[in-house]
Amino acid sequence: ETAGWQAGIALREAELQAGTLYVAAPINAYGAEHDQRRTRQDRDVNRNFPGDPEGCDAEQIAWAVFEDIRDKRPDLVLDLHEARAPEGSRDDLRGAVICQDVQAVGDLVLDLLAAFQEEDRPLTLYGSPPLGSLNRTVTEELGIPVLTIETGRDEALEQRVERQMAIVEFILSWYDMVEG
């Protein structure tokens, strides 16, 4: 999901006025190199959390990421993704914020939705991320809130990266990590 990891790489250069920003991008280096979501063994990392250090490549990657999050204990995890336009489905995750449990981040989520309400594609909040996803697993097993941000692949890559960056910069500003 190209825009997500490209935004992550760009965020490595963020000038913070407070706090620490950890960036893991791209998590699936093989997928990034081949412009695909799947791993070398044709697996989806984001359905294999919390992972297994002895498992398939997706489980090993998921395990390393999960353990890194467990070790660092961040206040919030952002998981940057891209959704395809739905084919014959009512579900359209383009422009979505997905959160397993908004208890700890409810005010942030409301402010985020309000800030992007006037966009061509306003953000929509969804719950219940899939089993094995980073979002659901980190929230349930580590008690750390996760926001998955979905942009739409029907837009140009540059626009998708800019949208990912704008959303993340809003969140960093909300936490007073960067000037708003």
Side-chain angles (χ1 to χ4, degrees):
E1 300 183 20
T2 309
W5 65 260
Q6 284 192 7
I9 288 172
L11 285 163
R12 291 178 183 160
E13 306 302 319
E15 294 188 27
L16 303 179
Q17 64 185 24
T20 303
L21 178 66
Y22 300 102
V23 177
I27 286 177
N28 176 6
Y30 177 85
E33 183 179 319
H34 293 88
D35 194 30
Q36 65 181 34
R37 180 181 175 119
R38 314 290 281 181
T39 64
R40 181 180 306 278
Q41 295 177 343
D42 198 32
R43 306 290 178 116
D44 184 344
V45 174
N46 203 34
R47 298 298 180 271
N48 282 281
F49 282 90
D52 179 346
E54 305 299 322
C56 69
D57 60 354
E59 292 171 318
Q60 291 176 26
I61 294 166
W63 178 82
V65 171
F66 185 81
E67 289 302 310
D68 196 39
I69 293 169
R70 180 195 311 267
D71 179 56
K72 291 182 172 54
R73 303 283 320 160
D75 294 326
L76 176 68
V77 173
L78 299 177
D79 190 16
L80 307 180
H81 285 263
E82 294 186 289
R84 293 188 191 280
E87 295 178 24
S89 168
R90 293 180 18 192
D91 295 332
D92 185 357
L93 294 179
R94 298 170 300 160
V97 176
I98 303 169
C99 186
Q100 174 68 16
D101 182 0
V102 296
Q103 289 288 85
V105 291
D107 290 340
L108 166 61
V109 169
L110 288 175
D111 289 349
L112 180 63
L113 295 174
F116 287 84
Q117 191 59 40
E118 301 301 319
E119 299 284 319
D120 288 339
R121 182 178 286 153
L123 295 175
T124 302
L125 176 64
Y126 292 93
S128 300
L131 290 173
S133 68
L134 179 135
N135 191 318
R136 177 172 275 190
T137 306
V138 168
T139 301
E140 290 179 349
E141 293 191 22
L142 300 179
I144 297 170
V146 179
L147 296 180
T148 300
I149 308 300
E150 296 272 4
T151 54
R153 289 191 207 172
D154 56 328
E155 299 173 323
L157 178 59
E158 184 177 322
Q159 290 176 301
R160 298 182 335 246
V161 173
E162 285 176 11
R163 185 158 168 88
Q164 292 275 9
M165 293 293 292
I167 293 168
V168 173
E169 287 170 358
F170 177 89
I171 293 168
L172 293 175
S173 177
W174 196 90
Y175 278 102
D176 294 323
M177 294 176 69
V178 297
E179 290 187 34

